[in-house]
Amino acid sequence: MPRACCAFLFFFITLASLPTSLTSQIQRQNSRAKLDLLIRGGQVLDGTGADPVQTDVGVRDDRIVFVGDSAKAHVEAARVIDAAGLVVSPGFIDPHTHADADLLDPMRHSNLNYLMQGVTTVVVGNDGGGTPHPAKVFETWQKQGIGTNAAILVGHGAVRREVLGNNDVQPTPEQLDKMRALVRGAMDEGAIGFSTGLFYVPGSFAKTEEVIELSKAAAEKRGYYDSHMRDESAYSIGVLGSIAETIRIGREAHIPVHISHIKALGPQVWGKSADAIAMIKKAQAEGITVTADQYPYEASGTSLDAALIPHDVQILPPDQLVTLATSKEQRAKVLNEIGENLEHRGGAERLLFTSKEAAELHGRTLAQVALQRKQSPIEAALDLFVEARQKKRAGSLAVASFNMSEQDIENFMRQEWVMTGSDGSPGHPRKYGTFPRKIRTYVLDKKVITLPFAIHSSSGLTAQTLHLDGRGLLRSGYFADIIAFDPKTIADQATYDDPEVLAAGIKYVLVNGKLAVDGGKFTNVFAGRALKSAHQQPLPDLPVPFWEIAALDF
Ligand SMILES: [Zn+2]
């Protein structure tokens, strides 16, 4: 049967069996067959991991309505982008950012550092920090506009702080109920999942059982569990103990679990990626959904406090901190613990101060700063922490912590359940370079993974894991979050010395069908939307694929 006939038959059957609203939608499409935008002749990677196909992608309003040979189908568009030599793919989705403040900042709400990496959707609220009251944030986003789409995780730390303060205490049953209600409330307002930062104060004070109970509240609403685990190194329960804890939470709360920025942190656990992967695969075989994200850098970004200072010291009020700094006995005990923690981090040469807030530290390692202060690195760390608290300059002690082995990074990256996530934070180049770096360094230079897999792990896999329906693939009917980049020039340009340099090679970025980057330049268009949890909104209304009716029109 000729193709046109097939299409006619399809059209006829479809019309006959569809409700009138959809019928009129098809008629509307027929009467206005011209597209808004056609991206022609690129190497199209659709986000599923399939090989590239040279073809065309058409957009109308906020949707992809055509994927195929536009010349054959006589498709016309108001604007045609010649994508010859470019790779066309779904916009990237970043499951772990710290863009919370940027998206509310009138100077930074474009999320330009992400747009120029090809990222069209970011998740905020990670590491346990996400607000229990997302509706207010959604409102502000809507009012002032955001450059990328964004979704929110409700954070365990924020929930705990609201009920229990920043303290090392356990909740009563009533307090646990209050925390549960906060998680439920946030999910009802549109949070897509529940995040924890069990390494950080106050999440570190929670027992696993508390986390399981609260995760159940998120699971009721199709949420997932996202964790900066209790220990990525050998601080307390160890990296493998933390993976076991995360899997237990998945099993007992019946919730998909996602490990943030998976790594083996510090020389003491280098090589453990193999055991970690084996544990995760075993849990997956048991039926538990376990996924992870990763940034392609050997340094993590954190603070001197989190890296070295014991948890009970971090929460001391300022007057007690002064006593601590001067009392010989107390000081000796704390210095001892800091010494152990410094070993987990691989030594003082591996901690680089990155905050411009502290010009006297910026660009120096802890070893260099200690030498200058004529102190041991351990003493310098404690005194710097106390001084920063007294001056109320918490952000001044941001550090890049060089603690990963290349072999572990590559081992994790090859796993089919590991996606790209920037964990973008000030002072670390990952905030500006993660996605292009994965392609430049690990696909094109080192050939650790293939390009289709790199794209899949930055789009389709992430959308599926986060339940972002209608996104992450180049499919007719999906939202038009699309990028086109030049494989010859795509690269990260941010470095540890100069971490705020935009990435290169991303030529076009469409967010919900609008061009946010055109010819490599930001268009000043804020087309991002708040992506709210799928449980509370019907699946997106996917129009009848344009190409199936195109044959009738032309
Ligand atoms: Zn984290």
Side-chain angles (χ1 to χ4, degrees), residues 37 39 79 81 482 507-519 521-527:
L37 183 77
I39 305 168
R79 162 103 192 256
I81 289 175
I482 307 171
K507 299 292 180 202
Y508 299 95
V509 178
L510 272 92
V511 179
N512 296 307
K514 300 273 181 304
L515 271 166
V517 175
D518 189 348
K521 300 232 156 44
F522 179 47
T523 58
N524 233 16
V525 168
F526 293 74

Side-chain angles (χ1 to χ4, degrees), residues 160-419:
R160 203 175 205 273
R161 215 170 266 132
E162 203 162 306
V163 178
L164 300 173
N166 221 22
N167 307 317
D168 186 1
V169 291
Q170 299 308 312
T172 63
E174 293 74 32
Q175 287 170 324
L176 190 61
D177 275 346
K178 266 191 196 161
M179 289 161 73
R180 201 181 278 119
L182 282 173
V183 174
R184 274 200 190 116
M187 293 299 296
D188 282 337
E189 287 180 20
I192 61 166
F194 176 56
S195 81
T196 62
L198 301 182
F199 176 65
Y200 296 112
V201 169
S204 57
F205 302 132
K207 300 214 164 88
T208 312
E209 290 75 14
E210 172 185 321
V211 181
I212 290 170
E213 283 313 304
L214 299 178
S215 297
K216 283 180 187 167
E220 286 165 10
K221 316 271 183 181
R222 207 185 165 215
Y224 67 98
Y225 173 79
D226 175 287
S227 184
H228 180 144
M229 298 191 301
R230 204 175 285 278
D231 187 358
E232 298 175 315
S233 181
Y235 281 90
S236 56
I237 60 173
V239 60
L240 298 182
S242 293
I243 287 174
E245 181 183 37
T246 309
I247 291 170
R248 181 185 159 201
I249 292 163
R251 182 187 295 119
E252 295 186 23
H254 301 288
I255 191 166
V257 293
H258 181 81
I259 299 168
S260 294
H261 40 63
I262 196 164
K263 64 171 81 71
L265 189 160
Q268 289 162 327
V269 295
W270 282 350
K272 294 279 183 209
S273 56
D275 294 339
I277 290 164
M279 284 172 74
I280 291 168
K281 283 186 173 166
K282 196 164 158 245
Q284 289 168 336
E286 198 190 310
I288 303 167
T289 302
V290 188
T291 53
D293 61 64
Q294 178 197 38
Y295 49 84
Y297 292 86
E298 59 173 330
S300 67
T302 185
S303 65
L304 193 75
D305 321 12
L308 298 183
I309 308 297
H311 289 149
D312 54 344
V313 176
Q314 285 183 44
I315 57 170
L316 286 180
D319 54 321
Q320 288 185 41
L321 268 184
V322 177
T323 321
L324 176 94
T326 47
S327 135
K328 231 183 177 181
E329 199 182 324
Q330 276 189 54
R331 192 175 161 89
K333 183 178 163 285
V334 175
L335 287 176
N336 198 27
E337 285 182 59
I338 294 177
E340 282 174 22
N341 292 344
L342 190 56
E343 258 176 64
H344 301 319
R345 295 277 162 176
E349 304 76 26
R350 289 178 169 271
L351 290 177
L352 176 75
F353 289 100
T354 56
S355 173
K356 286 189 181 148
E357 223 184 291
E360 73 280 13
L361 302 175
H362 181 240
R364 298 206 168 94
T365 65
L366 176 61
Q368 290 168 328
V369 170
L371 202 65
Q372 203 179 9
R373 293 170 65 108
K374 298 192 172 62
Q375 286 184 301
S376 75
I378 297 167
E379 285 176 312
L382 179 58
D383 290 349
L384 283 166
F385 165 71
V386 175
E387 287 161 24
R389 277 293 155 96
Q390 282 165 343
K391 290 184 203 155
K392 295 202 170 76
R393 290 200 316 180
S396 63
L397 298 182
V399 290
S401 164
F402 290 81
N403 59 43
M404 280 169 258
S405 86
E406 192 56 33
Q407 205 190 345
D408 286 325
I409 293 174
E410 294 178 10
N411 206 3
F412 283 129
M413 192 180 287
R414 287 193 193 97
Q415 305 308 312
E416 61 187 22
W417 39 269
V418 173
M419 54 207 81

Side-chain angles (χ1 to χ4, degrees), residues 54-91:
Q54 184 172 346
T55 193
D56 314 324
V57 180
V59 173
R60 185 197 281 159
D61 299 326
D62 61 353
R63 303 300 174 97
I64 298 167
V65 291
F66 179 88
V67 180
D69 186 334
S70 61
K72 240 188 203 165
H74 304 285
V75 170
E76 289 175 21
R79 162 103 192 256
V80 176
I81 289 175
D82 177 9
L86 302 182
V87 172
V88 178
S89 83

